Amino acid sequence: MELGRIGREINIGFIGLGFRGQPELELICQMEDIRIVALCDVYTDRLQQGGEIVKKAKCYLPQLTQNWHEVISHKDIEAVIIMTGWQSHITIAIEAMKCGKAVGLEVGGASSIKECWDLVRTSESTGKPCMMLENCCYGKEEMTLLSMIRQGIFGELVHVQGGYQHDLRYEIGMGDINRHYRQDNFLRRNGELYPTHELGPIAKYLNLNRGNRMLSLVSMASKARGQSAWLKKNRPDSPLVNAHFAQGDIVSTLIKCAGGETILLTHDCTLPRPYSRGGRVQGTKGIWQEDNRGIYIEGMSPGSGDSGMHKWESDSAYMEKYMHPLWQEYERFGMRGGHDGMDYLVLRAFFESLQEGKPMPIDVYDTASWMAITCLSEQSIAMGSMSVAVPDFTNGRWTLPREKNDTIFALD
Amino acid sequence: MELGRIGREINIGFIGLGFRGQPELELICQMEDIRIVALCDVYTDRLQQGGEIVKKAKCYLPQLTQNWHEVISHKDIEAVIIMTGWQSHITIAIEAMKCGKAVGLEVGGASSIKECWDLVRTSESTGKPCMMLENCCYGKEEMTLLSMIRQGIFGELVHVQGGYQHDLRYEIGMGDINRHYRQDNFLRRNGELYPTHELGPIAKYLNLNRGNRMLSLVSMASKARGQSAWLKKNRPDSPLVNAHFAQGDIVSTLIKCAGGETILLTHDCTLPRPYSRGGRVQGTKGIWQEDNRGIYIEGMSPGSGDSGMHKWESDSAYMEKYMHPLWQEYERFGMRGGHDGMDYLVLRAFFESLQEGKPMPIDVYDTASWMAITCLSEQSIAMGSMSVAVPDFTNGRWTLPREKNDTIFALD
């Protein structure tokens, strides 16, 4: 990836202008080599806001439509960015590929294994790429850990943890019921609804879909108390105050990999807590942990000689020393965009791969298998934490060495 | 519990004089109201060491025997303390109760559900108590958290975590194969081998066996790499260097409770890491976490008004403010004994309950259900992380309000 490079101009359509879509649109407007041909949202107010964003930055008004079919069938459009809710974005992605468009897809979990397979098969049959725009794969910390792992600092990896631990009670409890996808999901589903912020980077650490893969998972959900308690206290007049929320406050998911590693995911969005992605990376030579910003590496950290004396070190010197080359370049170039600069990197990775005709760093197999965790987790919980199998969306190509595998690539 | 009180003299037998037994024996020797009538160990060197400990402190030599039957059938003995390995201590406990002795049992997991039931039924039919000497139930931090929970600081509890995360590679890799119970277990078993240091306190937080109980669990084990890697590097001549260790490096166990709470246990003993019991307590009003010594309580901690601004506080002021009355007294009285003073408290709780004819604060139902987690976890892993049921050792009495329940009590 070459930051600051202006490539061949790409004409895009942009679908979904909500809380996530609008800031992303603003960011894309800063890119000289991207032309925004059409915008789409079902709500006219958002559509107009989107038009103003483009007008202000690019000095032209794109086509505005409430009908996404007009965007994906537009003859001048090469790629679509899909930022709609979880219930619609896979359907739109599939139809867009069928219309010959490359797809950049905002994160979210799947509702069925079938729609994940449909996504994969459509990409294979049309030859069009579909990349999940998982920004956390491009996080500074996550990429630095990836560098450390690839340099063997942790030895052989054994166990990795992560979580989406984000107090969303205010957001979920908002008054405008019909316009928030998360609220519908929390009211009616119970599972690992939002796995990819942690699972994306973990998949890269563990080489999932290229030499390794997820075999099975179990999920367990706690009772749901946090959202209702919040509503009773803070929104006593809300129509939701007596609603039954299906989503357990804490959903824990354990995943077993072909390489013998275990992954623990935690979904924790309806209890009061500081934000944390709860990272933990553990191998035969050491451990890193997000919540105490701690690292212990055998032979380097204090107390290595005596098991009773092992001491945590601050991870800051390691984070500096092993910073991923892309992030070293990014800091010189100047970070931009939301979420600590990750959004810009993931969007540029998508556009640059298109411009260069290279495989996507997060491909359709990654996208499908990460999204699948959501519905598999729901199934496991519905069946009393039964162990369920994770499909192999590569149909065995994950076993091939990378050089023999012309379809599956991963973040470098 | 009344610290410093000298009660009725109790004659005890002490079985098992290994690394755990000897320091416990020394601690008991400081108690004026306990008379040590007999000591037992299969190894004569340990037996002699035990005799010397008593001789030095108490100025008398107890009976020394390699045959535990002589201890449990000794007519002058009222109670036995059993500190033998995991494979024998339940058997000895059962036989001791049959001989009319009260039992204080060192921690460890069970190998079968049947032996847990046998423990319960023997205690019921003989009327003799059996208390697991789970020192962590008496930890300063654990008891303080129990106080906070009972005062409602965390609101309704939803999720609790803990772990036995202790680098034991040196201990397990020691040369003297035949005298270390843990080595045999790690070579041949794969499960949550050592749950009670975290599960004991958690059981008290969640009122398990008195109004709540564990319903089911799932366990997942990572591959086993840490111990072999350590041996290759540090003990290349060990007979174990090419042994296959069955025990996965990280074993994660999720437990669902009747009250809807989830518990996560982590067993992590064969990878390099600083020691941690990995505590986390989470409810509708806040969260506490051990590894960052952090707490966030809604309305008290910084950033409570805005979900994006919630900030961790150090737990130190809370730990001071809510310190359990027993620990306030203990600090005035003067802490003594190993493991930050916990060992003394749990032993005194056992002896004082005997002296006063009161129910044990950790009773046979607690003991059996906590130990059962080990074999249930093995079963779950052996069956591909299948969900397995946790037996109700109280046969329904856990549902009764405490005042109607004359057999089940818990740590006050």
Side-chain angles (χ1 to χ4, degrees), chain A residues 156-158 165 167 169 221-223 225 256 259-260 268 273 280 282 289 291-292 298 310 384 387, chain B residues 156-158 165 167 169 221-223 225 256 259-260 268 273 280 282 289 291-292 298 310 384 387:
Chain A
E156 181 178 348
L157 283 202
V158 171
Q165 304 182 129
D167 179 358
R169 294 171 302 163
S222 77
K223 58 189 165 188
R225 290 290 189 274
K256 187 72 183 267
D268 172 3
R273 62 159 302 131
R280 169 166 163 172
Q282 210 167 352
Q289 210 169 252
D291 279 335
N292 59 344
E298 191 142 75
H310 298 347
S387 179
Chain B
E156 180 178 348
L157 282 203
V158 170
Q165 305 182 129
D167 179 359
R169 294 171 302 164
S222 77
K223 58 189 166 189
R225 290 290 188 275
K256 187 73 183 266
D268 172 3
R273 64 161 300 134
R280 169 166 163 173
Q282 211 167 352
Q289 211 169 251
D291 279 335
N292 60 343
E298 191 141 77
H310 297 347
S387 178

Side-chain angles (χ1 to χ4, degrees), chain A residues 81-100:
Chain A
I81 302 293
I82 305 172
M83 300 264 160
T84 67
W86 302 341
Q87 294 95 329
S88 63
H89 67 166
I90 300 179
T91 303
I92 300 172
I94 289 169
E95 295 306 314
M97 287 188 281
K98 285 184 185 167
C99 291

Side-chain angles (χ1 to χ4, degrees), chain A residues 298-316:
Chain A
E298 191 142 75
M300 297 170 80
S301 299
S304 290
D306 177 347
S307 64
M309 300 298 288
H310 298 347
K311 293 269 181 288
W312 290 108
E313 283 185 276
S314 160
D315 68 358
S316 56

Side-chain angles (χ1 to χ4, degrees), chain B residues 13-172:
Chain B
F14 196 106
I15 303 171
L17 295 160
F19 294 119
R20 177 69 181 141
Q22 290 192 22
E24 290 288 270
L25 180 64
E26 281 182 37
L27 190 54
I28 292 174
C29 282
Q30 296 172 27
M31 301 175 189
E32 292 181 49
D33 50 3
I34 308 300
R35 184 171 177 84
I36 298 148
V37 175
L39 296 180
C40 174
D41 199 286
V42 287
Y43 302 110
T44 51
D45 56 336
R46 289 181 178 175
L47 200 48
Q48 198 179 333
Q49 287 155 11
E52 278 158 19
I53 287 169
V54 179
K55 187 82 195 292
K56 194 174 163 197
K58 294 276 201 184
C59 302
Y60 58 78
L61 192 67
Q63 179 183 339
L64 304 179
T65 172
Q66 289 175 276
N67 180 357
W68 55 265
H69 293 93
E70 288 182 17
V71 179
I72 64 166
S73 59
H74 197 296
K75 67 177 174 40
D76 294 337
I77 285 177
E78 178 179 350
V80 291
I81 302 293
I82 305 172
M83 300 263 160
T84 67
W86 302 341
Q87 294 93 332
S88 62
H89 66 167
I90 300 180
T91 304
I92 299 172
I94 290 169
E95 294 307 313
M97 287 188 281
K98 285 183 186 169
C99 291
K101 313 304 184 204
V103 170
L105 189 63
E106 175 56 8
V107 305
S111 296
S112 72
I113 293 298
K114 182 61 165 67
E115 68 176 347
C116 299
W117 275 119
D118 289 346
L119 198 71
V120 167
R121 287 289 178 264
T122 305
S123 178
E124 289 173 339
S125 62
T126 61
K128 292 296 156 188
C130 176
M131 171 170 165
M132 179 183 280
L133 301 171
E134 181 39 82
N135 54 4
C136 292
C137 288
Y138 288 89
K140 182 176 173 180
E141 182 171 286
E142 287 83 351
M143 292 198 83
T144 301
L145 286 164
L146 183 66
S147 275
M148 291 175 71
I149 290 163
R150 290 183 174 173
Q151 289 174 59
I153 304 299
F154 295 100
E156 180 178 348
L157 282 203
V158 170
H159 178 76
V160 190
Q161 293 184 192
Y164 186 63
Q165 305 182 129
H166 189 185
D167 179 359
L168 294 172
R169 294 171 302 164
Y170 176 83
E171 182 183 319
I172 295 165

Side-chain angles (χ1 to χ4, degrees), chain B residues 4-21:
Chain B
R5 178 180 151 287
I6 297 171
R8 160 177 87 72
E9 188 172 67
I10 294 181
N11 290 333
I12 70 161
F14 196 106
I15 303 171
L17 295 160
F19 294 119
R20 177 69 181 141

